[in-house]
Amino acid sequence: MTVSPPIHRPGADAHGFVEPMTTPNQTPLTHPGPAHAEPTTPLARVALQAARSKTGEADKPVALRIADFNAYYGDFQALKNINLDLPLHRVTALIGPSGCGKSTLLRWINRMNSMVPGARCEGVMDLHGLDLTGAGLDVVDLRRRVGMVFQKPNPFPKSIYDNVAFGPRLHLKLKRAQLDALVEASLRSAALWDEVKGRLHKSALGLSGGQQQRLCIARALAVEPEVLLMDEPASALDPKSTARIEDLIRELRDRYTIAIVTHNMQQAARVSDVTAFFFEGALIESGPTLQLFTRPSNPRTEDYVTGRFG
Amino acid sequence: MTSLPAQGHTVGVDARTRSDASRRAADKGFWLLCLAVTTLASIILAVLVVAVMVQGWKYLSWDFLSNYASRFPEQAGFKAALWGSVWVCAVCAVTAVPLGVGTAVFLEEYGPKSGPARKLHEFVQLNISNLAGVPSVVYGIIGLTAFARMFGLFGPANISNYDDMIFLTLKDSTRVVGPSLGEDDTSIVIDDIRSGERVVSLSDIDSRKDRYVLTHTFTLQDGTRVEGRLTGSSPKSLRVFTGSAGGVVDVPREKIAGYDYRAMIEIGSRGTPFYVHLPFGGGVMAAGLTLMLVVLPIVIVSTREALRAVPASLREGARALGATRWQMVSRMILPAALPGVMTGAILAMSRAIGEAAPILVVSGIVFIMNTPSGLTSDFSAMPLQIFSWANMPQEEFKGVAAAGILVLLAVLACFNIAAVVIRQRLQKGLTA
């Protein structure tokens, strides 16, 4: 099934989407059916446009498999029987109202929650054969493979260079030149190099909020993770900085498996390939982003994405 | 005139106006009160400083800083006290800062998060704050017992001017103890405590521990005991310094039925600044450690405040990059908390330098004529010297004491300025 002409690529270009580096003739990730020919809501239009601008095979191998996963804070069950696969080198958006457990899931993927008193989990969380729920898990090694970017930019009170070099210095013994190259590559990946190359040894706290968040992304990338977790990475930023972060996520998609928690459904529609909707600790629905925003199979998903609650 | 809400605008406005007036009056009144209190405090302080300056100014000179204490007010100097304070505070800083920062890091970053250990942790935390309020003279008594005397475990404190004793264990398990009379390549001559002069072949020696000072208990044939330190010997008798009990006693060798000894352990070699022996006696080391006890709670509490001020988001950021706990503490938290830690440490030192009571209890000395030469040297300190001068009968010494106070105040001001400068320097480096 091909897409219908009126809302084809020109619309996508008008939105300023960066053309992916892969060949443009590849099949879109999702195959919009006839129902998509005339999207009724603005959100659905965004999702459709975004889907058209993304290319790549529909079926990607699974990077992280989550099965029968339960998480608790003391007696409170925060996540109930979650089954979700994060596809390799794709963006998965976790959406849902506050307190639905999406951040909890994110924080279990790199075990940030195991520092929280009373927090525990059970089930399967499988990262290329590494069991993330195991008691003997080496969290230091895990966090090298799974990076995290937080809601509020949290640069260390150090220079820009030292911020990016912080992670590599923890794990590796690098020569100065190697470290310089790694810092530059990370800052380039985070689309920050050109803005900061003249003041690498100035304090990171002098950067703007959006720059700080991209610095935090560069810092996470510097340890060369496989998976990048983002907990509402743009919610503390202004619209322009948000757009830059979203562009960045789309660029990083080719090299990293990304999971992003967001309250902004437009954002989920714009940047993600797969969307998972959480409600009260349960995974209500997950699937290709376009499908979830245009043809949700669960009425609660529909109510949420159309803004009836949440 | 109505109280109906619909028509109550005028009434309402009136009421608001009155309350506005009283609010403004209260605001202004409180401001005046604050101003008055601050002015009063400043005036009292100014009067005190000016009074001290008027009294002490004429004694303040380079000679005052470079002279030792004297019976004559015009010649009295502060040098011994100044250097004594430097030594004591150096010992205090070197011990209190690492211990206090380490304790605070443990309590804040490594403390147990749950279970009975958590309760113990909370109990300890609460009591560290309580310790900060304990009168410093109490720490003085603890310091006297624990550091100066070491609970008597190593014999009496404050023994000085002893001879070197040699302590040999021979291969047949007998011991030879006494001053050396001479050595050559093959043998050593010892004036053994029991048997007198004795030649010991080096090949017979199993172990040799000189640099031990021994406190001896001699049991005599009539059952009496003489306890003290051997200060000399002759073929017929041993000379024992017994301290309080009668001073020097000559004990005839033939009357000795048995003897026992306790070692006073030495670290370093005599004459070097780092030389110490156990027990420390009332010297620099004991006083410095006592002051460490006084300021330790302050260092711990201020360091914990500084560590707590490091945002949780930075900790999470470091952990999310795969930092171990120690990497997080050493590379992120401690550098970020350094301004606060340094400020707390410096303010603790300024507390230490002004303390008189604990030092007085430990050293018991207020008049001394030289600067410390080592960690077990006797010493005076600035507050002690001021206290001593203030107690002098001659009126002139009140002026000398005032001059001492001025020097102490100047040193304290330097400490506080240093704290402010360090804080600003470090914070400028951390922020934009």
Side-chain angles (χ1 to χ4, degrees):
Chain A
M1 181 58 72
T2 50
V3 288
S4 49
I7 44 165
H8 195 37
R9 215 166 276 286
D13 291 340
H15 261 257
F17 287 140
V18 177
E19 196 64 31
M21 279 176 255
T22 43
T23 45
N25 285 339
Q26 280 174 292
T27 343
L29 180 71
T30 50
H31 300 264
H36 302 132
E38 290 167 50
T40 48
T41 64
L43 191 62
R45 269 200 292 279
V46 170
L48 185 56
Q49 283 164 355
R52 295 234 169 85
S53 75
K54 290 166 195 153
T55 51
E57 315 85 69
D59 296 318
K60 285 296 253 180
V62 173
L64 179 76
R65 190 168 68 87
I66 300 167
D68 303 325
F69 187 80
N70 294 289
Y72 306 85
Y73 291 109
D75 295 330
F76 172 71
Q77 186 166 10
L79 285 173
K80 295 162 194 163
N81 209 29
I82 305 298
N83 288 282
L84 180 68
D85 289 344
L86 303 192
L88 186 70
H89 297 179
R90 287 287 175 269
V91 180
T92 304
L94 311 181
I95 62 170
S98 297
C100 68
K102 54 195 189 309
S103 288
T104 300
L105 183 67
L106 205 66
R107 291 171 60 86
W108 271 116
I109 296 177
N110 75 342
R111 290 284 285 255
M112 291 305 283
N113 256 3
S114 53
M115 291 193 291
V116 176
R120 63 200 164 84
C121 71
E122 62 196 27
V124 176
M125 209 178 244
D126 179 62
L127 177 73
H128 290 308
L130 181 70
D131 176 18
L132 306 191
T133 58
L137 179 76
D138 179 3
V139 290
V140 167
D141 188 50
L142 165 69
R143 288 171 188 155
R144 246 185 104 170
R145 297 175 59 182
V146 182
M148 187 154 186
V149 177
F150 296 87
Q151 180 173 5
K152 216 172 137 247
N154 58 349
F156 301 141
K158 296 171 180 288
S159 72
I160 293 166
Y161 185 97
D162 286 339
N163 262 276
V164 181
F166 190 89
R169 279 175 178 154
L170 297 176
H171 304 292
L172 306 167
K173 277 194 160 64
L174 291 173
K175 294 204 174 68
R176 182 80 197 178
Q178 293 172 306
L179 196 58
D180 287 348
L182 185 54
V183 167
E184 180 178 341
S186 305
L187 285 169
R188 281 190 192 282
S189 295
L192 191 61
W193 174 253
D194 292 333
E195 291 161 59
V196 301
K197 62 186 174 193
R199 49 169 172 158
L200 284 177
H201 296 284
K202 296 266 165 60
S203 170
L205 303 180
L207 298 173
S208 74
Q211 288 174 323
Q212 288 188 1
Q213 191 63 302
R214 277 180 283 145
L215 178 67
C216 292
I217 293 172
R219 193 173 68 186
L221 296 180
V223 292
E224 297 172 333
E226 300 158 32
V227 179
L228 195 58
L229 309 174
M230 297 180 150
D231 191 356
E232 301 184 47
S235 68
L237 304 179
D238 62 89
K240 205 174 158 197
S241 304
T242 302
R244 296 217 58 172
I245 299 282
E246 288 180 12
D247 289 344
L248 178 58
I249 293 171
R250 276 190 292 269
E251 285 166 33
L252 296 175
R253 171 180 173 266
D254 295 324
R255 284 178 288 152
Y256 301 93
T257 302
I258 297 173
I260 175 171
V261 162
T262 180
H263 273 118
N264 180 339
M265 275 174 287
Q266 300 262 350
Q267 187 173 69
R270 280 192 298 262
V271 303
S272 72
D273 303 289
V274 176
T275 300
F277 171 61
F278 288 77
F279 185 65
E280 290 182 348
L283 176 60
I284 303 297
E285 185 174 353
S286 70
T289 298
L290 181 60
Q291 183 187 317
L292 196 110
F293 280 107
T294 52
R295 285 181 304 174
S297 59
N298 190 300
R300 272 185 294 186
T301 312
E302 187 165 9
D303 286 351
Y304 185 73
V305 299
T306 53
R308 256 174 238 149
F309 80 99
Chain B
M1 281 300 294
T2 171
S3 58
L4 287 175
Q7 297 165 302
H9 293 311
T10 30
V11 174
V13 168
D14 273 0
R16 199 154 63 231
T17 312
R18 264 200 306 280
S19 103
D20 254 15
S22 69
R23 277 195 309 149
R24 276 161 216 272
D27 188 38
K28 182 138 197 184
F30 186 70
W31 178 77
L32 281 171
L33 181 71
C34 291
L35 188 70
V37 170
T38 313
T39 313
L40 188 68
S42 310
I43 288 172
I44 292 172
L45 186 65
V47 165
L48 281 175
V49 172
V50 168
V52 170
M53 277 196 164
V54 166
Q55 270 197 300
W57 194 254
K58 66 174 173 173
Y59 291 99
L60 211 53
S61 65
W62 184 247
D63 283 347
F64 180 71
L65 294 179
S66 58
N67 280 3
Y68 291 113
S70 165
R71 288 184 293 129
F72 309 105
E74 343 33 272
Q75 289 169 19
F78 215 33
K79 186 178 180 184
L82 202 57
W83 282 102
S85 278
V86 168
W87 274 79
V88 169
C89 283
V91 170
C92 175
V94 165
T95 51
V97 172
L99 261 181
V101 172
T103 308
V105 166
F106 174 78
L107 289 174
E108 277 305 304
E109 308 296 335
Y110 290 81
K113 297 277 181 281
S114 59
R118 168 90 209 168
K119 294 268 175 256
L120 179 67
H121 181 244
E122 281 168 5
F123 179 76
V124 169
Q125 285 193 337
L126 179 72
N127 280 291
I128 284 173
S129 307
N130 284 343
L131 284 178
V134 170
S136 55
V137 69
V138 174
Y139 289 112
I141 294 164
I142 295 172
L144 180 67
T145 315
F147 302 130
R149 296 184 180 157
M150 295 202 161
F151 310 101
L153 288 175
F154 301 99
N158 290 332
I159 292 175
S160 47
N161 304 321
Y162 49 81
D163 301 315
D164 268 295
M165 301 289 286
I166 293 196
F167 170 29
L168 305 173
T169 305
L170 305 185
K171 283 178 178 154
D172 59 4
S173 297
T174 58
R175 293 174 193 149
V176 183
V177 179
S180 167
L181 298 177
E183 293 180 43
D184 60 29
D185 291 343
T186 56
S187 62
I188 179 168
V189 185
I190 303 276
D191 185 15
D192 185 51
I193 287 171
R194 275 187 303 188
S195 55
E197 193 172 316
R198 179 170 173 181
V199 179
V200 179
S201 166
L202 291 184
S203 60
D204 288 340
I205 298 173
D206 189 41
S207 75
R208 174 179 170 173
K209 302 170 183 167
D210 55 0
R211 298 256 170 255
Y212 268 66
V213 174
L214 302 177
T215 307
H216 301 279
T217 307
F218 297 97
T219 312
L220 306 185
Q221 279 153 357
D222 58 4
T224 57
R225 285 151 67 90
V226 179
E227 186 173 327
R229 217 186 43 70
L230 197 69
T231 56
S233 61
S234 69
K236 293 230 165 133
S237 65
L238 298 172
R239 176 160 290 184
V240 180
F241 177 74
T242 58
S244 55
V248 179
V249 177
D250 284 320
V251 182
R253 286 186 195 260
E254 71 267 16
K255 279 195 176 178
I256 297 173
Y259 79 104
D260 191 12
Y261 58 84
R262 278 176 294 176
M264 188 158 78
I265 296 163
E266 289 184 33
I267 301 157
S269 46
R270 277 201 280 164
T272 54
F274 54 88
Y275 162 74
V276 283
H277 58 73
L278 299 182
F280 293 140
V284 168
M285 193 79 178
L289 292 175
T290 306
L291 283 183
M292 173 200 81
L293 292 182
V294 176
V295 302
L296 204 49
I298 303 171
V299 176
I300 294 172
V301 169
S302 66
T303 304
R304 285 184 60 202
E305 294 300 327
L307 294 175
R308 266 187 224 171
V310 177
S313 63
L314 295 189
R315 292 161 205 268
E316 282 203 322
R319 295 309 292 272
L321 288 170
T324 61
R325 207 186 321 223
W326 168 238
Q327 284 177 324
M328 175 180 75
V329 168
S330 62
R331 299 180 189 208
M332 213 280 301
I333 294 181
L334 276 181
L338 197 60
V341 173
M342 293 292 288
T343 310
I346 292 173
L347 294 181
M349 283 311 115
S350 60
R351 161 98 191 260
I353 211 162
E355 279 290 350
I359 299 191
L360 185 60
V361 173
V362 169
S363 82
I365 298 168
V366 290
F367 189 91
I368 198 157
M369 289 291 285
N370 44 20
T371 54
S373 60
L375 289 172
T376 38
S377 302
D378 290 332
F379 69 99
S380 181
M382 288 192 281
L384 280 193
Q385 189 66 64
I386 292 166
F387 169 74
S388 147
W389 280 331
N391 276 341
M392 293 285 217
Q394 300 99 310
E395 196 54 37
E396 291 85 349
F397 273 109
K398 301 283 185 287
V400 180
I405 290 170
L406 288 176
V407 174
L408 183 56
L409 282 178
V411 172
L412 285 176
C414 289
F415 271 68
N416 286 314
I417 290 168
V420 172
V421 168
I422 286 176
R423 187 174 200 111
Q424 281 178 343
R425 274 262 174 95
L426 291 172
Q427 268 174 352
K428 201 188 282 177
L430 295 173
T431 54

